[in-house]
Amino acid sequence: AQKITQTQPGMFVQEKEAVTLDCTYDTSDQSYGLFWYKQPSSGEMIFLIYQGSYDEQNATEGRYSLNFQKARKSANLVISASQLGDSAMYFCAMRGFNFGNEKLTFGTGTRLTIIP
Amino acid sequence: EAGVVQSPRYKIIEKKQPVAFWCNPISGHNTLYWYRQNLGQGPELLIRYENEEAVDDSQLPKDRFSAERLKGVDSTLKIQPAELGDSAVYLCASSPPGVIGYGYTFGSGTRLTVV
C-alpha cells in the first residue's frame, strides 16, 4: 500500500518569496516515483515535477524544485520567487513499480495563496 | 498535440438517474485512468486500463459503476443509479507506454452534481 501525507491544508505567502510545500510518503516498493501537480480553480491537474527514487540529484523544473530526502521519506516542493499565478491547490503523488502499485496515489493537497 | 478530452464539463442530475462520462486520451497513450475527486480531497483511482483491458478496478463500486474502453482508445464511465454521494469531479488521465517519469496528463474533468 502507498500513502501520501500533506500536513499543510493552506498557506499564505507574500509575492516573490520562496515557499516550501511539505509531503511525506510511505511505500513498500523499493523503486517508485514522486510527482507534484498543480490544480488551479479551473480544475485541471497540471504536472509540475517528477523525482525517481533512485535519482541522486533533486529534480528541478524552472522555479520548481523537489527537496527529496529518501531516508526521511519526504519530497517537499519548493517554489522560488512566487507569483500571483501560483495560487492554486498543490498535490503530492507517488507511483510504485510493484504489481498493484502502478497507479498515482495522491495526498489531500495544500491550498497556496500568494498575497500581492 | 491535443490533450485529454472529457465531456461533459458539468452535469447535474437527480438521484437514481443514470449518467455517463466520456474520455478521449492522448493519441498513443495506451494507459487510461479514471479518478474521482471529492471536494477538498485528492483524486482517487477508480479504474486503470492498459489498452482495452481493465487491470485495476479494485476501487470501482461495481454495484453501480461500470466502465469500458472499446478498441483501447476512448473510454466511458457510467453510474446507474446515481446517489447523492456520487457528487464529485471525475477526472480522466492517460500516460504513454514505458515512460515512468512522464506525468500523467489529465483532462479538465466532469463536475457531477447529484440532487
Side-chain angles (χ1 to χ4, degrees):
Chain A
Q2 303 174 131
K3 186 176 181 180
I4 295 285
T5 302
Q6 295 181 254
T7 57
Q8 305 155 309
M11 291 189 68
F12 291 84
V13 173
Q14 204 75 34
E15 189 180 9
K16 300 182 183 178
E17 290 185 350
V19 56
T20 298
L21 305 182
D22 294 341
C23 172
T24 57
Y25 61 91
D26 192 21
T27 181
S28 56
D29 286 14
Q30 295 299 310
S31 296
Y32 49 88
L34 296 155
F35 302 79
W36 276 92
Y37 280 84
K38 173 183 179 181
Q39 188 176 42
S41 56
S42 54
E44 74 269 31
M45 297 287 284
I46 302 169
F47 167 66
L48 295 179
I49 195 167
Y50 167 82
Q51 178 84 43
S53 60
Y54 285 102
D55 293 341
E56 294 185 352
Q57 291 193 328
N58 287 341
T60 61
E61 289 288 345
R63 295 187 298 114
Y64 304 108
S65 60
L66 199 152
N67 185 0
F68 180 47
Q69 299 186 46
K70 193 171 182 178
R72 298 180 60 184
K73 293 190 174 181
S74 73
N76 298 340
L77 177 70
V78 179
I79 306 175
S80 63
S82 59
Q83 303 171 356
L84 295 179
D86 294 334
S87 293
M89 283 290 290
Y90 288 81
F91 291 96
C92 181
M94 75 175 302
R95 177 195 186 280
F97 297 148
N98 287 352
F99 179 77
N101 287 340
E102 312 106 313
K103 61 185 180 184
L104 275 181
T105 299
F106 288 84
T108 53
T110 296
R111 181 173 296 281
L112 176 64
T113 302
I114 307 300
I115 305 168
Chain B
E1 177 184 78
V4 176
V5 179
Q6 289 188 250
S7 67
R9 187 75 173 89
Y10 303 93
K11 189 74 175 179
I12 301 175
I13 61 171
E14 294 183 344
K15 62 182 181 182
K16 299 185 182 180
Q17 294 301 306
V19 65
F21 316 124
W22 176 78
C23 173
N24 182 249
I26 292 175
S27 178
H29 283 198
N30 64 321
T31 307
L32 183 146
Y33 314 80
W34 283 103
Y35 280 84
R36 176 170 60 187
Q37 186 176 19
N38 293 316
L39 187 63
Q41 300 293 317
E44 295 179 326
L45 181 72
L46 291 173
I47 190 168
R48 175 169 67 100
Y49 281 95
E50 295 288 345
N51 299 304
E52 65 274 11
E53 181 183 0
V55 295
D56 185 355
D57 63 357
S58 57
Q59 300 302 311
L60 188 74
K62 298 181 183 65
D63 57 335
R64 297 184 299 107
F65 285 65
S66 64
E68 60 181 11
R69 190 183 183 195
L70 299 177
K71 300 182 180 179
V73 182
D74 295 4
S75 179
T76 302
L77 178 69
K78 298 178 181 178
I79 309 175
Q80 182 171 10
E83 297 178 352
L84 295 177
D86 295 331
S87 295
V89 175
Y90 291 81
L91 293 162
C92 179
S94 68
S95 63
V99 182
I100 303 302
Y102 183 94
Y104 302 0
T105 303
F106 283 81
S108 299
T110 296
R111 183 176 297 276
L112 173 67
T113 302
V114 183
V115 298

